[in-house]
Amino acid sequence: EDKKEKSLLLTILMILSLSGDQMTEEKLWEHLRLLGLEKDSKHKVFGDPNTVVNKFVRQRYLQKIPKKSESGRIWLFQPGENALDEIDQISLNEAISKKLQKGENIQEVIELE
C-alpha cells in the first residue's frame, strides 16, 4: 500500500477518533476539504480522493453505514474491522496527542504537498 494513502487513512482515522469514532460522510468531506481534498475533484497526489476513500471501505479499514434521516438516507463513516485489528487505539491517540502538542500543521504531517 502506498505510503501517502496510508497517511491519508491514518488522518481519516484520527478525525474519526476525535469525533467519537463516527461521522457523517458530509462532515468527513468538510474536514478533508480543509486538507485540499475535494470529493469530486482530482488531487495531484491521490487522484480522485473519493476513489481512495472507497478503496479503504473495500479493504475494511473504514465502514460506510447507511442511516435514515429526516432528509433521506445519509452515510456514516466508522473505523472498519481491519483498522481496529491492525491499528492500536492507544498508539493512534498518542499520535494525535503528539501532533496537537507540537502544534504541527496537519497538512504537513500527512505530506499532501
Side-chain angles (χ1 to χ4, degrees), residues 35-82:
L35 302 174
L37 298 165
E38 297 281 343
K39 184 175 181 180
D40 297 317
S41 295
K42 194 162 181 87
H43 187 270
K44 66 182 177 181
V45 174
F46 300 108
D48 179 4
N50 194 45
T51 300
V52 178
V53 170
N54 286 327
K55 176 181 174 182
F56 297 150
V57 172
R58 284 191 312 277
Q59 293 173 333
R60 296 183 171 171
Y61 286 105
L62 297 175
Q63 285 184 306
K64 190 174 178 182
I65 302 163
K67 184 177 179 183
K68 291 182 182 178
S69 76
E70 294 174 6
S71 60
R73 185 168 70 173
I74 61 169
W75 292 95
L76 296 176
F77 277 93
Q78 297 176 341
E81 63 187 60
N82 285 339

Side-chain angles (χ1 to χ4, degrees), residues 1-11 56 86:
E1 187 173 339
D2 182 314
K3 180 181 176 183
K4 293 184 186 218
E5 283 188 7
K6 186 151 191 140
S7 295
L8 177 58
L9 173 61
L10 290 173
T11 300
F56 297 150
E86 296 176 24

